Amino acid sequence: MARTRSRHGLTPAALATCVGHRALEQNLETDRLFTELTSPEGICSGGSVFGRTDALAAIANHPIARGDGPAQPLLGGVDQLDELTDAFLDSPHVVRLTGGDQPLYTTVEMLDLQARTVELFAAGLHTGPHTVSAVAMADAFERHPHLTSEQRHLAIAWCRTGHRYQTAIGRAGAGKTTTVAACADAWTAAGYRVVGAAVKGEATRTLAQATGIDCETVAWYLAHDDPRSLPLDARTILVVDEASTLSDRDLDALMDMAATTGASLRLIGDPAQHGAIAAGGMFRVLCQHHLDHTPELATTHRLQDPDDRAAAEALRDGRIDDAFDHLAKAGHLHIVGDDLTMYRHILARWWDAHRAGLDHPMVDRRNTTRQRLNRLAHLLRAVNGELEGEPIAASGGRSFAVGDRVTARAPNRDLHVADDRQAYVRNGALGTVVAVKAHRRDQSRDSLRIDFDGIGAIDVPRSFFDRHRGPTGRTDVGIDHAYALTSYAVQGSTRDVSTSRVDATATRAETYVDITRGRYANHLYLTATTDPLDGETLPRLPVEPADTAVAERLHRSTGELTAWELAHGDDPQAEPGVAVGI
């Protein structure tokens, strides 16, 4: 051990220089620091509510401005950090939301934004824009005779009540896009322009394909921030699908755009599924506080197995044990003791479904698990002669060959079908590798030709499909195998069979999405959480059974609270009729 320390320069003399110093005090521009912390990119960028620990961590990690010099991390000691945190929480930028020993806070900017959303929504009720006559509504129903009474009720509520903004709940597999298509026909026949949006690029494409309306990503709409060239006008209805994934800031911006142009906004999604990656939750709040104006598609048509349907309903209601009982009755609940067993079973199940011609994702939240499953699935297909030609190597030990199923991990509008800039690589798009072009002398010229589902064939260079830094500064791969995906990636999709793994770190939203993808079967594997302790030096605690640990976690898992609710003393689970637990 001593030799190892010396080899790395950790001699007693060197170690002595690292300790015994008095903490440095920094002269800080606290007003500037607090303003940056409470900006849209600050402490509330990922959630609208925070505690003292969150504030302390945000200050410790935030680059501190020092005069005209470059920003640097905080150099002071614990005392200065504590003082800064207390000063920040007491500053006029911050609002205390709850009492007790561990109070919760938000920023004035965040609370004002959420309050503006509530006020705008309420002001838009019964204002009468974009209504459809009873005759036009009846004509639309004749063109869509397959609609259920539940779906017709939603269409009438959206098209004939005359609200500027309106929400709707569409549970997994309940026929959201089918209903939106009927609404679009009714509005179009009445002389209005109907356009669509979603957060994910692939969800946008799916919405366009199912409804026949022009669709773009939410980011595309919000990039048009010049008041003279907004993409909406007074005769436009914008329909946003998968609205639970819409961040509060994006929702506010879309509502403001509708108010400015005179357009109407319709939001449909499922609060029981995944929320926004950034601060979110206001879609759920609007649904909950305007139940009379929020039609719901509650009947699931996707799930063919009655126990799968009952399990999804029970999980949504928070009856975790009942959900597991129904999955077990269907033969779809699998409790395994270790990851090796999990890999064997999930991969074997996927392979059997694949050989039977069934579309079947393996779903897991962990990057390492998905990478291993993807690599093993690729090898299985290769050794069984399903992939053609020489594969091309990529970062992370991956390789791609003709026949591989892949997914786009990021969008790129510069990569598109020849002569069609609208048929571009969308985030979440699935496709098949149809050609591999490898240059032995210049690897940077390598490319994959990928036939993306519903988009077309696009040549994708190594600079995109391999690991690279994107526009946001994040380093990731642009293309990956699509045999194993995240729960976020499969939300909104319909598959033949689904197999997922969860442990005691999973959320209820994640698990609900996992068990509602497959038409014919939704297999759920439960595993114990990986022990983070060092077993050589620390005693291992007795491992809790996987089903017990996961059930307890899902019981505790609830939806993201918004600052507006806490400021108004609201309990999001107090009113029946809206599923909010995730």
Side-chain angles (χ1 to χ4, degrees):
M1 183 66 74
R3 290 180 180 178
T4 301
R5 287 198 300 265
S6 298
R7 187 164 58 247
H8 292 284
L10 300 178
T11 62
L15 288 171
T17 64
C18 299
V19 297
H21 299 287
R22 194 174 68 183
L24 296 175
E25 291 289 329
Q26 284 178 272
N27 294 320
L28 304 175
E29 298 181 29
T30 55
D31 287 344
R32 180 175 173 181
L33 170 63
F34 295 169
T35 299
E36 291 174 353
L37 285 172
T38 54
S39 70
E41 295 77 29
I43 193 169
C44 282
S45 60
S48 62
V49 176
F50 59 89
R52 188 180 189 281
T53 301
D54 302 313
L56 188 147
I59 293 172
N61 293 322
H62 190 82
I64 304 295
R66 295 195 297 170
D68 296 329
Q72 297 180 3
L74 182 69
L75 300 177
V78 174
D79 291 342
Q80 186 181 19
L81 183 57
D82 273 336
E83 291 173 4
L84 271 177
T85 302
D86 291 336
F88 173 65
L89 296 177
D90 289 336
S91 74
H93 299 278
V94 175
V95 178
R96 180 167 173 162
L97 298 169
T98 64
D101 295 333
Q102 296 181 325
L104 296 175
Y105 304 84
T106 190
T107 65
V108 171
E109 184 269 344
M110 190 77 239
L111 189 57
D112 285 348
L113 181 144
Q114 292 181 343
R116 183 167 62 247
T117 296
V118 173
E119 292 165 4
L120 264 179
F121 194 93
L125 295 174
H126 307 294
T127 50
H130 308 106
T131 55
V132 170
S133 68
V135 173
M137 199 78 250
D139 289 344
F141 288 156
E142 284 188 13
R143 292 190 294 273
H144 297 268
H146 51 280
L147 293 182
T148 66
S149 59
E150 191 176 67
Q151 292 168 331
R152 287 175 177 240
H153 172 70
L154 189 152
I156 292 170
W158 268 20
C159 296
R160 288 187 45 77
T161 49
H163 303 312
R164 175 76 61 195
Y165 315 101
Q166 194 167 10
T167 53
I169 297 172
R171 300 192 183 190
K176 290 184 301 178
T177 53
T178 301
T179 310
V180 171
C183 294
D185 278 359
W187 277 316
T188 302
Y192 302 119
R193 170 175 169 256
V194 188
V195 293
V199 173
K200 292 192 303 182
E202 181 62 6
T204 304
R205 185 193 68 79
T206 302
L207 179 64
Q209 186 178 49
T211 61
I213 62 177
D214 292 334
C215 297
E216 283 288 356
T217 61
V218 169
W220 181 88
Y221 282 97
L222 298 184
H224 295 72
D225 54 3
D226 185 344
R228 297 168 297 180
S229 59
L230 295 176
L232 307 180
D233 57 36
R235 296 194 65 77
T236 302
I237 299 100
L238 172 62
V239 179
V240 179
D241 192 17
E242 299 291 342
S244 67
T245 63
L246 194 61
S247 75
D248 291 346
R249 297 187 191 281
D250 288 351
L251 174 58
D252 173 70
L254 289 177
M255 292 180 70
D256 182 66
M257 186 181 293
T260 300
T261 60
S264 286
L265 183 63
R266 297 292 182 267
L267 306 152
I268 187 166
D270 186 359
Q273 298 188 51
H274 284 302
I277 294 175
M282 288 307 293
F283 169 72
R284 172 183 56 75
V285 169
L286 295 177
C287 290
Q288 178 177 325
H289 284 267
H290 295 280
L291 284 176
D292 292 342
H293 307 303
T294 302
E296 181 174 6
L297 302 179
T299 304
T300 298
H301 306 287
R302 176 188 299 150
L303 305 181
Q304 302 300 305
D305 188 293
D307 280 304
D308 275 1
R309 286 199 301 271
E313 188 72 23
L315 184 63
R316 187 185 187 92
D317 293 342
R319 296 180 284 111
I320 312 303
D321 295 336
D322 288 347
F324 284 177
D325 287 344
H326 282 291
L327 288 174
K329 183 179 176 182
H332 298 162
L333 184 70
H334 313 277
I335 303 171
V336 294
D338 55 73
D339 279 358
L340 182 59
T341 305
M342 178 269 294
Y343 282 118
R344 280 205 325 268
H345 286 200
I346 287 181
L347 198 65
R349 192 171 296 283
W350 170 82
W351 181 245
D352 289 342
H354 168 73
R355 294 303 292 266
L358 298 175
D359 185 16
H360 177 220
M362 297 177 282
V363 184
D364 196 284
R365 62 162 39 199
R366 294 187 298 194
N367 287 329
T368 53
T369 302
R370 292 195 312 277
Q371 289 164 2
R372 289 166 184 161
L373 288 171
N374 272 323
R375 185 168 65 250
L376 291 170
H378 167 84
L379 290 173
L380 261 178
R381 295 197 65 201
V383 299
N384 281 276
E386 293 189 357
L387 304 179
E388 302 174 10
E390 286 293 321
I392 188 170
S395 58
R398 302 170 304 142
S399 62
F400 299 101
V402 172
D404 260 324
R405 288 291 287 173
V406 296
T407 183
R409 295 281 298 272
N412 192 314
R413 289 179 178 268
D414 294 328
L415 301 177
H416 55 81
V417 174
D419 301 323
D420 186 358
R421 297 192 66 86
Q422 294 304 308
Y424 62 89
V425 175
R426 296 175 183 267
N427 184 22
L430 299 171
T432 302
V433 178
V434 295
V436 172
K437 300 177 183 178
H439 292 263
R440 293 183 179 178
R441 294 184 178 180
D442 186 0
Q443 195 179 60
S444 66
R445 297 172 60 193
D446 293 348
S447 66
L448 301 173
R449 187 165 181 80
I450 301 172
D451 188 4
F452 287 101
D453 302 351
I455 298 175
I458 300 175
D459 290 323
V460 178
R462 179 176 288 278
S463 59
F464 180 75
F465 75 71
D466 222 341
R467 183 170 293 278
H468 66 283
R469 189 177 297 278
T472 62
R474 177 183 174 183
T475 300
D476 203 350
V477 299
I479 298 293
D480 206 352
H481 291 107
Y483 308 116
L485 299 168
T486 66
S487 182
Y488 268 102
V490 298
Q491 178 166 318
S493 68
T494 299
R495 306 300 180 92
D496 295 326
V497 181
S498 176
T499 297
S500 310
R501 183 208 69 94
V502 297
D503 60 19
T505 64
T507 66
R508 201 183 303 175
E510 174 187 353
T511 309
Y512 181 76
V513 170
D514 289 350
I515 66 170
T516 55
R517 297 305 100 200
R519 293 186 184 93
Y520 310 119
N522 290 273
H523 294 275
L524 185 66
Y525 279 78
L526 309 183
T527 66
T529 307
T530 304
D531 185 355
L533 300 179
D534 181 355
E536 293 183 0
T537 58
L538 294 171
R540 291 184 180 273
L541 298 174
V543 178
E544 196 172 26
D547 53 341
T548 302
V550 174
E552 289 180 354
R553 162 62 180 168
L554 297 184
H555 275 296
R556 296 192 307 270
S557 176
T558 58
E560 178 183 354
L561 271 177
T562 64
W564 185 88
E565 290 170 290
L566 289 175
H568 291 77
D570 284 4
D571 179 353
Q573 298 187 15
E575 295 187 56
V578 178
V580 299
I582 59 173

